[in-house]
Amino acid sequence: MSLIEVKNLEKIYHDEAITPALQGLTFNIEAGEFVAIMGPSGSGKSTLLHILGFLDRPTAGEYRFDGKTMDEYSDEELARVRNGKMGFVFQTFNLLRRTNVLDNVKLPLFYSDVKPSDWDKKALEAIGSVEMSHRLNHEPSQLSGGEQQRVAIARAIVNNPLIVFADEPTGNLDSKSGGQVMEIIESLHASGRTVILITHETYTAEFAQRIIRIKDGLIESDEKVKNRHHANSHQFIK
């Protein structure tokens, strides 16, 4: 059984006009895979990510996560899966302003089964794994973009999720910071996690094992990556 099973997935937006965002996508993703979903702006890749992350519902078709369809989860179960089994990294970081690094990373633990007495320990481990322990008491405005994204990754993995969704994680970064963030994401995969990367950049997509290209809501190609980038080291995620 695949971790993610998508069959004839459709998403139609009914705004001023009827806009088909996804038009019958079918694919599976196995546990432990690193998959990049590529496509130009407006191709439907972010819509797909929102459905895969239980942030939106499809109009038609079927999506199974860990063996169950969205309709088989109660609203409470959906929230628990999103918080405990999924980690999210966004282009805009989405960190809380006026809240330091430690408290930003601890946030998902408030909604978990982890004992409050263990929150600091788990948060410190996640922060250490992205080499941000020296910034514990800094607020996002005091950090560079690359540092903010590292904190966002620590927050995404603090509950030890099965899968990490990364939506254009290098989109707001310079090339050096972007490369460092991609090394961390590759390290997440090397440690055994499933990673789904949304990107329009070929360089970042080539860190993945497989690239699904979508255009106008359709799968254009689904291929293994031949010339895969490898980080020089995996020191980030122990």
Side-chain angles (χ1 to χ4, degrees):
M1 183 181 69
S2 303
L3 180 62
I4 281 177
E5 299 171 79
V6 171
K7 190 173 181 181
N8 298 324
L9 200 71
E10 295 183 14
K11 180 66 179 181
I12 298 171
Y13 290 109
H14 296 272
D15 300 322
E16 292 177 4
I18 295 174
T19 308
L22 301 175
Q23 304 186 66
L25 275 60
T26 297
F27 61 88
N28 289 355
I29 294 175
E30 305 301 319
E33 271 198 279
F34 186 168
V35 179
I37 297 174
M38 282 195 78
S41 180
S43 61
K45 58 187 188 293
S46 289
T47 298
L48 177 58
L49 176 86
H50 288 157
I51 292 172
L52 297 181
F54 287 161
L55 301 169
D56 196 3
R57 290 181 177 271
T59 306
E62 186 175 271
Y63 167 41
R64 288 182 176 271
F65 177 78
D66 208 14
K68 292 171 70 173
T69 67
M70 202 168 187
D71 290 336
E72 290 175 304
Y73 290 99
S74 68
D75 287 346
E76 185 180 339
E77 285 173 329
L78 284 175
R80 290 170 73 86
V81 168
R82 273 196 301 266
N83 190 58
K85 292 187 176 182
M86 298 174 172
F88 297 90
V89 180
F90 297 101
Q91 178 177 345
T92 51
F93 320 133
N94 290 2
L95 298 174
L96 295 178
R97 295 167 59 198
R98 300 199 179 91
T99 303
N100 66 26
V101 166
L102 180 61
D103 287 338
N104 260 292
V105 173
K106 275 163 56 173
L107 188 63
L109 296 168
F110 281 76
Y111 309 99
S112 73
D113 294 328
V114 178
K115 294 183 297 185
S117 57
D118 291 336
W119 289 355
D120 277 5
K121 178 173 178 281
K122 284 186 71 73
L124 289 169
E125 284 175 358
I127 293 165
S129 74
V130 297
E131 299 190 346
M132 286 294 293
S133 299
H134 60 300
R135 294 278 198 250
L136 287 182
N137 296 310
H138 287 64
E139 295 177 5
S141 62
Q142 298 171 302
L143 305 176
S144 69
E147 288 175 328
Q148 288 185 63
Q149 194 59 292
R150 288 197 205 182
V151 175
I153 292 170
R155 182 185 58 191
I157 63 171
V158 73
N159 274 329
N160 195 26
L162 289 176
I163 187 166
V164 173
F165 294 103
D167 190 0
E168 301 278 9
T170 62
N172 283 343
L173 305 178
D174 59 49
S175 57
K176 181 181 177 183
S177 297
Q180 291 171 339
V181 163
M182 286 311 303
E183 286 188 16
I184 295 174
I185 289 173
E186 187 180 49
S187 296
L188 292 176
H189 172 246
S191 71
R193 290 182 181 87
T194 307
V195 176
I196 296 182
L197 169 72
I198 302 289
T199 184
H200 65 277
E201 299 170 328
T202 301
Y203 173 79
T204 54
E206 287 176 350
F207 276 84
Q209 299 169 310
R210 172 184 168 197
I211 299 176
I212 299 173
R213 287 183 170 84
I214 63 174
K215 185 178 181 182
D216 299 326
L218 296 162
I219 292 180
E220 203 172 36
S221 63
D222 183 349
E223 299 172 333
K224 300 287 186 185
V225 177
K226 292 174 184 173
N227 302 312
R228 207 177 158 225
H229 285 301
H230 285 283
N232 292 326
S233 66
H234 295 297
Q235 82 274 24
F236 289 107
I237 308 296
K238 303 293 191 291

